[in-house]
């Protein structure tokens, strides 16, 4: 599932590609991906423009010049492609937004959605999300207060979007490895020094992942050399049995409440 770095990479790239461009049409092949009738969705989008793209947690917010907001959550298996019809991957699309000869294809949107809302509705829907971990106003003392709000282990806390926004299976494991702390540790067991290591690791890992385009390996457009470059840089995620990059011991995979969890039992404590 795309997490904060993947959605931030999409935001940055799509801002350059489609912001301000007139929407010349829309296709909907899966009405369940929407929250309004397809005819209404198509009518409201055609002739409209996207004037700004924001990210909140794992969501993208496409702000339209008409005042509505398209709220996107890709969920498991969802991704996007921008290009001509000839460049389009051989995949089934659920929604397509046309920008003249180029199009934004929403692919694998079986569990995800592209909903149309007013801005107050969006604020209400996203109001229960936790703090943005990379927000400049989110300080270490505030992080400590967030840690006090949960009694579970690190893995389950990090993937809880009411705890912190945008972190999921991959980056929860990468952050814990970077900090040298087991993802199975209870939050209440962390010393202040470990809390600080975790805070610094969280910022470092997420910023590095954004720099290298996240881990989704499907390019956003032909010639895209950024999207997915962090996949090769993952230190523990999906590397079961491979040698730890720090100590050489085989990495372990387990499940925590049905979620994949990867770590090194030797150098994470």
């Amino acid at each position: 599932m795309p997490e904060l770095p993947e959605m931030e990479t999409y935001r940055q790239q799509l801002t350059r590609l489609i912001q301000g461009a007139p929407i010349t049409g829309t296709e909907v092949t899966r009405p369940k991906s929407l929250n309004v009738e397809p005819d209404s969705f198509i009518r409201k989008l055609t002739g409209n423009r996207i004037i700004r793209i924001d990210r909140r947690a794992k969501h993208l917010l496409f702000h339209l010049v008409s005042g509505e907001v398209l709220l996107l959550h890709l969920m498991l298996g969802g991704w996007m492609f921008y290009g001509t019809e000839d460049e389009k991957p051989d995949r089934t699309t659920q929604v397509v937004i046309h920008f003249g000869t180029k199009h934004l294809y929403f692919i694998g949107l079986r569990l995800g959605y592209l909903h149309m809302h007013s801005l107050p509705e969006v604020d209400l829907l996203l109001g229960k999300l936790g703090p943005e971990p990379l927000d400049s106003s989110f300080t270490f003392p505030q992080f400590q207060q967030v840690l006090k709000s949960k009694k579970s282990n690190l893995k389950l806390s990090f993937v809880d979007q009411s705890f912190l926004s945008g972190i999921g299976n991959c980056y929860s494991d990468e952050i814990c490895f970077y900090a040298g702390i087991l993802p199975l540790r209870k939050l209440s067991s962390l010393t202040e020094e470990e809390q600080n290591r975790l805070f610094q690791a969280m910022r470092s890992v997420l910023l590095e992942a954004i720099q290298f385009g996240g881990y989704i390996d499907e390019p956003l457009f032909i010639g895209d050399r950024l999207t997915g470059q962090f996949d090769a840089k993952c230190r523990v995620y999906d590397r079961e049995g491979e040698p730890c990059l720090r100590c050489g011991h085989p990495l372990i995979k387990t499940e925590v409440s049905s979620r994949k969890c990867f770590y090194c039992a030797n150098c994470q404590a």
Side-chain angles (χ1 to χ4, degrees):
M1 180 187 294
E3 302 179 34
L4 186 159
E6 288 70 47
M7 299 311 288
E8 180 61 24
T9 299
Y10 276 140
R11 186 197 70 79
Q12 293 178 9
Q13 302 231 72
L14 287 174
T15 294
R16 176 174 58 84
L17 293 169
I18 65 173
Q19 183 170 291
I23 297 172
T24 55
T26 306
E27 297 174 35
V28 178
T29 58
R30 187 176 186 273
K32 288 184 178 180
S33 297
L34 310 179
N35 65 328
V36 297
E37 289 298 319
D39 288 347
S40 175
F41 186 83
I42 293 168
R43 185 175 62 254
K44 288 184 177 182
L45 278 188
T46 303
N48 222 320
R49 293 174 187 261
I50 295 168
I51 56 172
R52 189 174 82 253
I53 305 174
D54 292 334
R55 181 197 56 75
R56 180 72 172 95
K58 301 177 185 180
H59 303 80
L60 283 190
L61 287 70
F62 298 90
H63 295 265
L64 301 171
V65 71
S66 56
E68 293 96 348
V69 180
L70 297 181
L71 182 65
L72 172 69
H73 197 317
L74 291 172
M75 300 291 283
L76 186 65
W79 54 291
M80 289 180 281
F81 181 83
Y82 177 76
T84 65
E85 188 172 350
D86 290 340
E87 294 170 336
K88 171 189 169 293
D90 186 19
R91 299 292 186 91
T92 301
T93 61
Q94 288 72 51
V95 181
V96 184
I97 300 177
H98 304 299
F99 299 89
T101 60
K102 293 200 172 182
H103 322 280
L104 181 59
Y105 297 94
F106 296 86
I107 302 168
L109 210 61
R110 298 294 181 182
L111 299 175
Y113 55 82
L114 184 64
H115 287 180
M116 182 177 286
H117 293 287
S118 67
L119 188 55
E121 287 173 340
V122 171
D123 290 339
L124 184 63
L125 287 167
L126 303 184
K128 294 182 180 180
L129 291 171
E132 285 282 335
L134 292 180
D135 196 304
S136 59
S137 65
F138 187 58
T139 62
F140 175 59
Q142 289 174 319
F143 179 65
Q144 288 181 297
Q145 289 301 312
V146 170
L147 291 176
K148 292 179 182 178
S149 69
K150 291 284 183 182
K151 296 182 179 180
S152 59
N153 60 46
L154 277 171
K155 177 68 177 186
L156 293 182
S157 297
F158 268 133
V159 299
D160 180 351
Q161 297 305 290
S162 67
F163 176 75
L164 289 171
S165 292
I167 298 172
N169 273 343
C170 175
Y171 296 106
S172 58
D173 292 348
E174 292 294 311
I175 290 165
C176 288
F177 178 80
Y178 196 99
I181 300 171
L182 281 171
L184 307 178
R185 285 274 301 276
K186 295 286 187 181
L187 299 188
S188 58
S189 73
L190 299 175
T191 66
E192 184 168 1
E193 188 272 335
E194 288 174 324
Q195 292 174 351
N196 188 55
R197 272 165 39 203
L198 201 62
F199 180 72
Q200 298 302 328
M202 177 181 68
R203 297 185 63 85
S204 295
V205 167
L206 294 177
L207 288 171
E208 181 188 14
I210 292 170
Q211 179 186 354
F212 289 100
Y215 67 82
I216 288 181
D217 59 0
E218 300 288 354
L220 177 60
F221 54 89
I222 298 297
D224 179 7
R225 294 182 175 85
L226 174 62
T227 303
Q229 295 306 300
F230 188 73
D231 186 49
K233 296 180 177 293
C234 285
R235 298 164 176 88
V236 290
Y237 188 71
D238 269 346
R239 292 190 59 218
E240 178 187 11
E242 295 182 30
C244 172
L245 297 177
R246 269 199 300 250
C247 69
H249 281 245
L251 297 174
I252 291 173
K253 174 188 175 183
T254 188
E255 285 196 0
V256 181
S257 293
S258 301
R259 291 179 176 271
K260 293 190 297 184
C261 182
F262 300 86
Y263 62 93
C264 177
N266 186 60
C267 66
Q268 289 176 257

